[in-house]
Amino acid sequence: MHYEVEVGGRRRQVVVTRTGGAFAVAVDGHTRRVDAARIDAHTLSLVVDSVWPENATVRRSGYEVSVTPDPIGGQLVVHVGAIPVAVALNGRRRWDRKDDGRASGSGPQRLVAPMAGKVVRVLVTTGDTVRPRQPVVVVEAMKMENELRASREGTVAEIHAREGMSVDAGALLIVIQ
């Protein structure tokens, strides 16, 4: 998987490849071996192996990492231990845009479930004003959380989802006017 990630205002190219029971994670061309174990829905335990060319020794570091959406900033907040870091995933689509998303189509925006799953969080209420790329609902499918975002500015007109609800692929979740 290829990602463009903004961390602390700096763009990073990240490539993640499964290698056996672990992952090869390349950040701006520097590859590390990462063993990951899920602790809970938002927290991972990571063991990162770094090879130092000077003496060809392997340095192993452990991290507890939690990832939560920031509904206000439309980013993710990644806690590495106790240190919070704001992260934007695949930000290129936003940076290279010629507009700010306000004019992207007319009529209501209908957010639907991308696949069958379970609604984990509803991040808005009826009447809320949303910005482009603001997360509005999270659906868990195949043990992965899918954060659905508003594509343009608007007002939440209808909410058809509630936390814990099972949904089919294509089920209407939220309507934004």
Side-chain angles (χ1 to χ4, degrees):
M1 301 287 291
H2 296 265
Y3 301 96
E4 185 171 89
V5 179
E6 180 185 355
V7 179
R10 185 171 174 198
R11 289 188 216 179
R12 304 267 188 182
Q13 299 300 317
V14 179
V15 179
V16 179
T17 310
R18 182 173 283 285
T19 58
F23 298 90
V25 179
V27 178
D28 293 337
H30 301 285
T31 303
R32 305 287 188 258
R33 182 179 183 277
V34 178
D35 285 316
R38 183 168 295 280
I39 294 174
D40 60 33
H42 302 285
T43 310
L44 297 170
S45 174
L46 303 179
V47 176
V48 180
D49 292 342
S50 301
V51 177
W52 297 96
E54 299 86 38
N55 55 16
T57 61
V58 175
R59 187 175 132 220
R60 181 170 279 180
S61 302
Y63 303 94
E64 186 170 298
V65 177
S66 65
V67 179
T68 54
D70 174 11
I72 295 171
Q75 296 184 328
L76 298 173
V77 177
V78 178
H79 282 83
V80 180
I83 302 170
V85 179
V87 175
L89 184 63
N90 290 336
R92 173 174 282 173
R93 285 179 278 172
R94 180 181 66 207
W95 291 316
D96 289 345
R97 290 170 69 143
K98 301 295 183 222
D99 67 339
D100 65 358
R102 294 172 196 258
S104 58
S106 60
Q109 176 189 356
R110 300 167 55 87
L111 290 171
V112 297
M115 60 183 69
K118 180 175 144 184
V119 176
V120 179
R121 285 184 302 284
V122 178
L123 303 169
V124 293
T125 59
T126 303
D128 284 357
T129 300
V130 296
R131 298 176 318 282
R133 294 193 42 80
Q134 178 179 334
V136 293
V137 65
V138 179
V139 177
E140 181 181 278
M142 298 172 52
K143 300 188 182 191
M144 295 291 292
E145 289 190 356
N146 300 288
E147 190 175 73
L148 304 179
R149 298 170 180 257
S151 65
R152 63 177 186 267
E153 188 174 288
T155 303
V156 177
E158 301 172 27
I159 298 177
H160 298 273
R162 68 182 184 289
E163 292 182 12
M165 175 179 167
S166 293
V167 293
D168 292 325
L172 180 63
L173 303 175
I174 293 181
V175 177
I176 300 172
Q177 295 285 346

